[in-house]
């Protein structure tokens, strides 16, 4: 069965060997006569799958029991709300770095529920085409929230040493989670929708420093929106997204087998193949500041919208798919997540050069 060159921004491509393992176990998980989708989340068998996923995540992130790893439904959007609701107590201020649509949404959600907020930095002045390098943290800051990779605009904070260290750091890592090593201990809370780098849609990973949470959380929140509910119940207060978490476990094993350093090295090489074409061309134009460009979502424009349409259509003939830009910004975008094979990036780079030759 032939697979396409999948550059979808999300849900994105998953490792083929993981999909094959899922296929193998779909009807009868490890010969037990039922699918993962059909078993109780409280069964011993599923408990093993879930715990193994949590433990693998901790090993990959190099954290111990001082962090809780939970999996929640509701997508990263629900985390925009939960981070603000749980972690901005009265008198404290949520600080936000605005670098695109998702960062804006997190900020607006905090305002919507009446929390005090402060914009620490924004790149809205140039339509989010670059990343701010200086951050203004307010007095009584509850946390500093940022988005590590801006999926729509194609920028990525590749060096987290630039953030102030005197304020708890919260990060939406949805679109570059586990694409490179991170020093997890710098973060008080990390959240990431699974559907780009670590699994199918339906589960959002939340990694919380337990001490930070205990000392800063707001009490008495609605049950399902209170992190405490899910931390205390080990994500089993209600039915978790069982199938997604199972696949995440397999993807984490796939990542662990290679090591995050290798994953990062491959991601750099893959992105380079496509950026090289853009850099050596006056036909393609990158949309972001050179030093801020993302290794996950490569955004570029062609000389006209007509050519962009033609480019996307002709690419499909070579089974290159998912390269239209986000509907809000247009243009083109190639998402080269962890599971995207180098071969696909080579095919796209080759196609870009051919298309330029013919259409220039
Ligand atoms: N944050 C980032 C960085 C994203 O890329 C996305 C989705 N593309 C979201 C948040 C929203 O995620 P969800 O659809 O899971 O709510």
């Amino acid at each position: 069965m032939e697979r396409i060159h999948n550059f979808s921004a999300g849900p994105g491509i998953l490792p083929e060997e993981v999909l094959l393992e899922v296929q193998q176990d779909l009807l009868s998980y490890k010969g037990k006569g039922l699918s993962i989708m059909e078993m109780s989340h409280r069964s011993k068998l599923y408990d093993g799958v879930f715990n193994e996923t949590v433990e693998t995540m901790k090993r990959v992130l190099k954290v111990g029991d001082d962090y809780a790893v939970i999996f929640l439904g509701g997508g990263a959007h629900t985390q925009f709300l939960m981070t603000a609701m749980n972690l901005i107590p009265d008198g404290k201020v949520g600080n936000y770095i605005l670098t695109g649509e998702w960062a804006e949404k997190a900020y607006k959600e905090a305002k919507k529920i009446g929390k005090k907020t402060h914009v620490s930095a924004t790149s809205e002045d140039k339509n989010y085409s670059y990343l701010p390098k200086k951050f203004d943290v307010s007095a009584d800051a509850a946390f500093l929230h940022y988005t590590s990779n801006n999926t729509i605009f194609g920028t990525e904070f590749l060096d987290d040493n630039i953030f102030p260290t005197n304020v708890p750091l919260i990060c939406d890592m949805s679109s570059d989670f586990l694409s490179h090593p991170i020093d997890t201990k710098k973060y008080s809370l990390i959240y990431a929708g699974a559907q780009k780098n670590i699994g199918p849609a339906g589960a959002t990973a939340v990694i919380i420093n337990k001490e930070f949470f205990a000392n800063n959380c707001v009490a008495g929140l609605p049950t399902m929106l209170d992190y405490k509910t899910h931390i205390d119940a080990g994500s089993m207060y209600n039915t978790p997204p069982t199938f997604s978490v199972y696949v995440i476990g397999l993807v984490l094993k796939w990542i662990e087998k290679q090591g995050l350093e290798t994953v990062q090295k491959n991601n750099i090489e893959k992105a380079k193949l496509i950026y090289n074409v853009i850099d050596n061309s006056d036909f393609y134009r990158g949309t972001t500041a050179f030093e801020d460009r993302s290794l996950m979502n490569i955004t570029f424009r062609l000389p006209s919208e007509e050519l962009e349409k033609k480019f996307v259509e002709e690419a499909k003939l070579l089974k290159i798919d998912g390269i239209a830009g986000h509907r809000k910004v247009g243009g083109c975008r190639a998402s080269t997540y962890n599971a995207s094979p180098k071969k696909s990036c080579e095919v796209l780079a080759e196609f870009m050069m051919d298309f330029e030759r013919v259409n220039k």
Side-chain angles (χ1 to χ4, degrees):
M1 196 183 304
E2 204 185 334
R3 288 182 36 94
I4 60 166
H5 301 293
N6 185 355
F7 292 97
S8 165
I13 186 167
L14 289 172
E16 204 166 298
E17 60 185 83
V18 166
L19 294 177
L20 286 170
E21 188 171 344
V22 171
Q23 182 185 41
Q24 175 87 27
D25 282 338
L26 195 65
L27 281 179
S28 175
Y29 179 72
K30 303 294 174 217
K32 299 293 181 190
L34 79 174
S35 161
I36 279 278
M37 285 180 274
E38 301 169 301
M39 65 180 72
S40 165
H41 58 296
R42 304 199 187 276
S43 63
K44 212 167 156 208
L45 193 54
Y46 189 75
D47 199 47
V49 171
F50 194 92
N51 289 337
E52 184 60 20
T53 303
V54 169
E55 289 313 312
T56 314
M57 178 79 89
K58 284 184 174 170
R59 285 196 304 274
V60 171
L61 288 173
K62 296 196 171 76
V63 290
D65 290 339
D66 45 343
Y67 280 78
V69 173
I70 55 178
F71 292 98
L72 304 177
H77 274 86
T78 303
Q79 297 313 306
F80 300 159
L81 171 65
M82 284 179 74
T83 43
M85 201 179 222
N86 282 260
L87 296 166
I88 312 179
D90 283 348
K92 293 267 195 162
V93 185
N95 281 235
Y96 288 84
I97 300 172
L98 306 186
T99 50
E101 170 98 357
W102 308 114
E104 280 268 0
K105 276 193 163 181
Y107 165 65
K108 284 183 184 152
E109 202 67 11
K111 284 170 81 81
K112 199 167 185 176
I113 57 167
K115 296 290 183 180
K116 279 195 198 160
T117 55
H118 173 71
V119 175
S120 290
T122 173
S123 53
E124 195 190 3
D125 58 334
K126 290 190 180 161
N127 196 28
Y128 302 120
S129 60
Y130 73 101
L131 294 173
K133 309 289 183 295
K134 287 211 170 82
F135 312 103
D136 171 56
V137 177
S138 72
D140 298 322
F143 56 70
L144 178 62
H145 176 286
Y146 81 101
T147 310
S148 53
N149 182 72
N150 298 283
T151 326
I152 297 176
F153 290 93
T155 57
E156 184 176 14
F157 284 106
L158 288 167
D159 176 12
D160 62 8
N161 288 316
I162 65 169
F163 299 110
T165 51
N166 59 348
V167 57
L169 206 51
I170 292 186
C171 186
D172 172 2
M173 290 193 189
S174 291
S175 53
D176 68 350
F177 190 45
L178 303 183
S179 66
H180 56 79
I182 50 164
D183 181 0
T184 313
K185 296 213 181 298
K186 283 183 184 160
Y187 295 88
S188 295
L189 187 148
I190 293 167
Y191 61 92
Q195 67 270 24
K196 283 123 181 23
N197 260 328
I198 62 159
T204 304
V206 185
I207 294 102
I208 313 174
N209 181 290
K210 286 184 190 167
E211 194 183 323
F212 163 75
F213 181 74
N215 292 335
N216 296 283
C217 63
V218 174
L221 296 178
T223 311
M224 283 302 286
L225 296 175
D226 191 337
Y227 284 125
K228 189 171 187 311
T229 303
H230 304 290
I231 296 172
D232 289 353
S235 303
M236 294 284 174
Y237 177 77
N238 70 320
T239 317
T242 53
F243 185 75
S244 291
V245 173
Y246 151 68
V247 181
I248 290 169
L250 298 181
V251 174
L252 284 167
K253 285 267 164 76
W254 176 82
I255 290 173
E256 189 177 36
K257 211 159 60 185
Q258 306 168 68
L260 273 178
E261 287 76 12
T262 305
V263 169
Q264 177 182 36
K265 186 173 149 278
N266 291 340
N267 286 333
I268 292 171
E269 280 174 12
K270 289 184 297 176
K272 217 180 205 170
L273 287 168
I274 298 161
Y275 280 127
N276 274 347
V277 177
I278 297 170
D279 293 343
N280 291 317
S281 151
D282 51 13
F283 183 78
Y284 299 105
R285 178 172 52 83
T287 63
T288 67
F290 185 87
E291 69 276 16
D292 296 329
R293 54 197 196 179
S294 168
L295 295 175
M296 298 280 100
N297 309 100
I298 301 168
T299 52
F300 55 97
R301 308 273 340 200
L302 275 68
S304 70
E305 285 186 17
E306 288 69 42
L307 279 170
E308 283 167 352
K309 226 186 218 162
K310 190 171 174 212
F311 177 78
V312 170
E313 284 311 310
E314 283 189 17
K316 285 189 185 143
L317 302 175
L318 295 174
K319 300 200 182 320
I320 297 169
D321 199 57
I323 54 167
H326 190 273
R327 63 191 184 284
K328 290 215 165 122
V329 294
C332 298
R333 169 176 58 174
S335 299
T336 53
Y337 296 127
N338 286 353
S340 157
K342 191 172 177 195
K343 178 78 194 156
S344 290
C345 298
E346 285 165 355
V347 169
L348 175 59
E350 196 69 36
F351 167 68
M352 287 172 74
M353 288 186 284
D354 288 345
F355 190 87
E356 174 173 356
R357 266 193 294 275
V358 176
N359 292 281
K360 206 166 166 178

